[in-house]
Amino acid sequence: RPTPLRYYVNDDGPTDVDVYTTAVGSPTNRGYASNSPLHSIQAVLDRYQLAGGDEILVDTGVYELSNSVTITLLNSGDAVERAKITGSTNWAAGGSWLQPAAAMAAPAFLLFGAHDVNVSNFRLTGFPNGVSLSDSSARCTLSDLDIQGSTGAGVSIALGNLIRLERVLIRESNGSGLSAGSSQVSLEGCVLWSNRSSAIILSTSQAQISNSVITALNDDLYCYQMGTGTVVAADYNDLYVTNGAEIANVAGLAYEDLPQWVLDTAQDRHSLSTDPLFHDPANGDFHPRSVAGRFEFATGWTNDVSDTNLPDFSPLIDMGAPQSAWSNELAVNGSRRNIGLYGNTVQASKSNPNHW
């Protein structure tokens, strides 16, 4: 193949909110032209075979799935270029929102033996898992996902190698935020919020976690719950626990608070354990509080109002790893990235103009 290919998907709704296509999706369309998009991701995968550098662009709209979007070895990238499935960047209009059909009992995305695949910019609501990776899937990256209300773990990994999550929000799952077994996984700039089981459950796995907000909000829950044979390298996070939740449980040994965890494991030495002061997490807004400037999807930039009962700035601001990139944050940025989803992005909440 001389050049990578692009494929297009759109729903049958209004096109004025679309960013990739100029027509509604249809099963009779060609799929490889922006004015002739197919109606579903699976329709592209069924008709065409992805290769390294190929990309499926999924436009703004709501997509009901009766079966998982299944990606296997046959639709993978290669060591030079990834295969990509990319949703809409128009989050203000709802983005690319995948929902399960009635009685569907499968993940939204199923990566089965896939490798070198990127999945980004999707909202996934109400599936058993937002994403499931298994059967030695390797070198796959999930980024800019909002996974809400999963009936199991938001992201489930089994026998995964070098799986990376970047700016992934996993919230309000009935299970854990992330579950990984016999896998290698890394989290960068993620938020795991208000899940009904422990935020991260690991067994016989290796995990690297940084610049992320990991929460456990009820009794008998943990930010990290780990079995034997698990190795974690974690720092510059916010491990927020309330209502009797604890920082970690390692093979039955509980760590109630952050100092105890740091002293015994030497992990999270520069991490926080405090309320991140997100603007409106109950309604999906995880931008940190800032009287100097906070981004809103609907209206753009606004300034939080000073309140005698609240700090002017979220503790996440300028508290990311010093070696992490930060230059995409608009001024005033403190020359250091924020912890959380929007660190080192143009939506990063602004820093205190008076040096701390």
Side-chain angles (χ1 to χ4, degrees):
R1 220 189 256 179
T3 59
L5 300 176
R6 279 188 169 179
Y7 303 99
Y8 298 89
V9 173
N10 199 11
D11 68 349
D12 58 0
T15 59
D16 59 340
V17 295
D18 292 333
V19 294
Y20 304 129
T21 62
T22 58
V24 299
S26 169
T28 60
N29 283 344
R30 292 170 292 172
Y32 53 79
S34 60
N35 63 355
S36 186
L38 286 166
H39 65 299
S40 71
I41 305 170
Q42 195 61 50
V44 175
L45 296 173
D46 290 343
R47 189 179 298 186
Y48 305 107
Q49 183 173 337
L50 296 187
D54 290 351
E55 184 171 20
I56 302 175
L57 294 169
V58 184
D59 227 328
T60 313
V62 177
Y63 301 85
E64 185 177 85
L65 301 185
S66 298
N67 298 287
S68 297
V69 175
T70 301
I71 307 159
T72 69
L73 175 68
L74 298 178
N75 284 306
S76 294
D78 54 47
V80 177
E81 292 188 282
R82 301 283 183 97
K84 303 173 186 176
I85 303 178
T86 306
S88 170
T89 56
N90 190 357
W91 288 92
S96 300
W97 189 0
L98 275 55
Q99 301 175 358
M104 182 193 175
F109 286 97
L110 174 61
L111 279 66
F112 187 80
H115 62 83
D116 301 291
V117 174
N118 290 2
V119 177
S120 61
N121 286 311
F122 287 96
R123 184 178 179 189
L124 313 172
T125 303
F127 294 91
N129 314 110
V131 184
S132 175
L133 303 101
S134 61
D135 196 48
S136 299
S137 290
R139 299 181 303 280
C140 296
T141 298
L142 313 178
S143 61
D144 300 295
L145 303 181
D146 179 358
I147 302 173
Q148 181 185 16
S150 301
T151 57
V155 173
S156 174
I157 308 171
L159 299 174
N161 183 34
L162 299 177
I163 307 302
R164 183 170 176 82
L165 280 65
E166 299 177 351
R167 300 177 303 278
V168 174
L169 169 62
I170 307 175
R171 56 187 173 121
E172 300 158 17
S173 298
N174 284 334
S176 61
L178 167 69
S179 175
S182 302
S183 298
Q184 294 176 316
V185 59
S186 64
L187 285 76
E188 172 72 19
C190 297
V191 172
L192 281 65
W193 185 266
S194 196
N195 298 294
R196 293 188 179 179
S197 187
S198 295
I200 298 175
I201 299 179
L202 304 169
S203 61
T204 322
S205 295
Q206 300 174 31
Q208 296 181 330
I209 305 163
S210 64
N211 297 319
S212 296
V213 180
I214 313 297
T215 65
L217 304 181
N218 288 295
D219 193 25
D220 296 326
L221 300 184
Y222 306 91
C223 294
Y224 309 136
Q225 185 170 336
M226 299 179 284
T228 57
T230 293
V231 178
V232 169
D235 208 357
Y236 295 98
N237 301 300
D238 183 13
L239 307 180
Y240 178 43
V241 294
T242 61
N243 301 322
E246 298 179 301
I247 296 293
N249 185 304
V250 181
L253 178 61
Y255 295 88
E256 181 178 357
D257 52 37
L258 183 59
Q260 183 186 24
W261 168 247
V262 173
L263 181 64
D264 202 42
T265 67
Q267 298 303 317
D268 287 298
R269 293 169 66 100
H270 304 93
S271 293
L272 311 171
S273 185
T274 187
D275 188 338
L277 296 180
F278 292 128
H279 174 62
D280 189 8
N283 290 300
D285 190 340
F286 288 82
H287 291 86
R289 173 177 170 79
S290 172
V291 299
R294 173 181 51 77
F295 186 83
E296 290 187 343
F297 284 117
T299 59
W301 287 95
T302 188
N303 296 81
D304 284 310
V305 177
S306 290
D307 186 327
T308 55
N309 296 314
L310 291 172
D312 284 345
F313 296 89
S314 162
L316 305 182
I317 294 175
D318 298 335
M319 291 302 290
Q323 68 270 24
S324 296
W326 55 267
S327 59
N328 288 328
E329 298 187 8
L330 303 180
V332 178
N333 57 39
S335 299
R336 185 168 169 178
R337 74 156 285 160
N338 298 348
I339 292 173
L341 298 170
Y342 304 107
N344 193 37
T345 75
V346 295
Q347 293 184 28
S349 294
K350 295 184 179 182
S351 305
N352 190 341
N354 299 313
H355 292 294
W356 301 34

